[in-house]
Amino acid sequence: MLTTVNNDNSFSAFSDCNSDRSAEFSTPSSESRRLLIACAADNSDEFIRHLVLNLSSCSIEDQKQATMEIRLLSKNKEENRVKIAKAGAIEPLVSLLSSSSDLQLQEYVVTAILNLSLCDENKELINSSGAVKPLVRALETGTPTAKENAACALLRLSQREEDRVAIGRAGAIPPLVKLLEGGGLRGKKDAATALYAVCSTKENKVRAVRAGVMRALVELMADLGSSMVDKAVYVVSVVVGVVEGRAALVEEGGIPVLVEIVEVGTQRQKEIAVGVLLQICEESWVYRTMVAREGAIPPLVAFSQSHSNRPRHKAEKLIELLRQPRSGNGAGRS
């Protein structure tokens, strides 16, 4: 039976996928003040209903303005997120996202949905309104900001197992991998966070491997000076839960990179790398041989001597496996 990596605190390694951080509103400060005053006033519900009505306007400029204002109002205030959803904004927002080819409007809608999804009671309504497929389309075709916020929105909507399965089946994995490969730093962080969440299901792990995720992850792990190492190692620790993931890790040259992390990485990176190496070695003598030939035993011994409890036990178990003579049964298993 394979050992799994304990990732209880793993999300601290990731960027927070919270409300939009871009501050890219073209709204002048006077307009922002007007919105805040309106929502603080007694007629705030009426003001929000007016915005929701404008989402269905025949004018794309009215739609953009309403969506931008909803995006702003839902950015920081939980109360506004609840009010906007109760006013019926989610279905027309999803409809706009499904039907509009305007990239700016798409970006506004994606970000408004992300902000609304930060309210737990809105998540089920957003999912049931069919938001996942148009969010995946934005992830594929949107502006850089739309792609980043679509990844964050999908993360927020992936809290339940069935939601993660649905996200994978909607085609989210390949564009998330593409964002991980070619996005900016924020995009890479958001893609890694979303992949870590949705790849908790077996079928999504396989989809990620088929989309080439391991090549991107090994490249990110190899850049030990970057801020992406922790995130990449954590995602690897999930994907190697399937045999296809372990094979892809080895094929992409992941073993020497992991051994180097055990030797010179941060304490957190070392702990996760040890767990990953243990997973790939438990059922494959071939992989054990490859790990041992990379000189893994000395840094593992040093690691075990400087740790206690669970991390030390994993390192000691891995050392024991690497020192075992080749057995006749399962020598070629992977």
Side-chain angles (χ1 to χ4, degrees), residues 44-93:
S44 62
D45 291 346
E46 181 181 345
F47 177 70
I48 289 172
R49 283 195 295 269
H50 173 72
L51 294 180
V52 172
L53 284 174
N54 279 349
L55 293 175
S56 301
S57 169
C58 295
S59 165
I60 191 170
E61 293 306 318
D62 287 347
Q63 292 172 342
K64 285 183 180 180
Q65 185 68 24
T67 307
M68 183 181 67
E69 293 184 357
I70 288 172
R71 170 184 171 179
L72 179 61
L73 292 173
S74 59
K75 183 179 174 87
N76 296 313
K77 292 191 68 175
E78 182 81 355
E79 179 185 1
N80 286 344
R81 294 170 189 147
V82 173
K83 285 183 177 182
I84 291 166
K86 286 184 176 178
I90 290 174
E91 287 193 7
L93 282 170

Side-chain angles (χ1 to χ4, degrees), residues 221-251:
M221 288 193 303
D223 186 3
L224 289 173
S226 81
S227 61
M228 286 297 300
V229 178
D230 287 31
K231 301 162 186 60
V233 176
Y234 273 117
V235 180
V236 167
S237 75
V238 174
V239 179
V240 294
V242 293
V243 63
E244 296 90 341
R246 298 190 289 278
L249 174 66
V250 174
E251 183 178 343

Side-chain angles (χ1 to χ4, degrees), residues 122-293:
N122 290 342
K123 291 176 186 175
E124 185 174 352
L125 180 57
I126 294 171
N127 273 322
S128 64
S129 297
V132 169
K133 285 188 177 180
L135 282 170
V136 171
R137 184 167 72 94
L139 189 60
E140 294 171 328
T141 65
T143 66
T145 297
K147 290 178 180 180
E148 292 162 359
N149 288 341
C152 283
L154 290 170
L155 170 70
R156 299 296 306 179
L157 299 176
S158 67
Q159 304 304 303
R160 301 179 303 176
E161 179 81 4
E162 58 265 38
D163 297 330
R164 293 190 285 272
V165 170
I167 287 168
R169 292 178 180 176
I173 305 295
L176 283 172
V177 171
K178 189 173 181 180
L179 184 60
L180 182 70
E181 291 174 327
L185 180 58
R186 177 184 158 190
K188 290 178 188 291
K189 290 179 178 180
D190 293 340
T193 311
L195 284 166
Y196 179 85
V198 299
C199 287
S200 65
T201 68
K202 181 177 179 180
E203 64 183 74
N204 285 344
K205 297 184 210 300
V206 175
R207 288 189 179 99
V209 172
R210 291 174 178 169
V213 72
M214 203 57 79
R215 175 174 297 178
L217 292 171
V218 170
E219 289 180 357
L220 291 170
M221 288 193 303
D223 186 3
L224 289 173
S226 81
S227 61
M228 286 297 300
V229 178
D230 287 31
K231 301 162 186 60
V233 176
Y234 273 117
V235 180
V236 167
S237 75
V238 174
V239 179
V240 294
V242 293
V243 63
E244 296 90 341
R246 298 190 289 278
L249 174 66
V250 174
E251 183 178 343
E252 296 296 340
I255 286 178
V257 174
L258 287 166
V259 171
E260 184 178 11
I261 290 173
V262 175
E263 187 171 6
V264 301
T266 66
Q267 290 304 308
R268 175 163 37 183
Q269 292 165 6
K270 290 179 180 182
E271 289 179 17
I272 303 303
V274 168
V276 172
L277 288 170
L278 180 58
Q279 283 192 79
I280 69 172
C281 287
E282 279 183 311
E283 295 190 357
S284 173
W285 183 89
V286 173
Y287 294 166
R288 292 176 206 169
T289 302
M290 295 173 71
V291 171
R293 285 177 178 170

Side-chain angles (χ1 to χ4, degrees), residues 6-28:
N6 181 7
N7 291 330
D8 292 343
N9 298 315
S10 55
F11 272 108
S12 64
F14 291 112
S15 60
D16 290 330
C17 274
N18 293 324
S19 57
D20 58 283
R21 295 150 284 173
S22 55
E24 291 171 352
F25 295 102
S26 58
T27 318

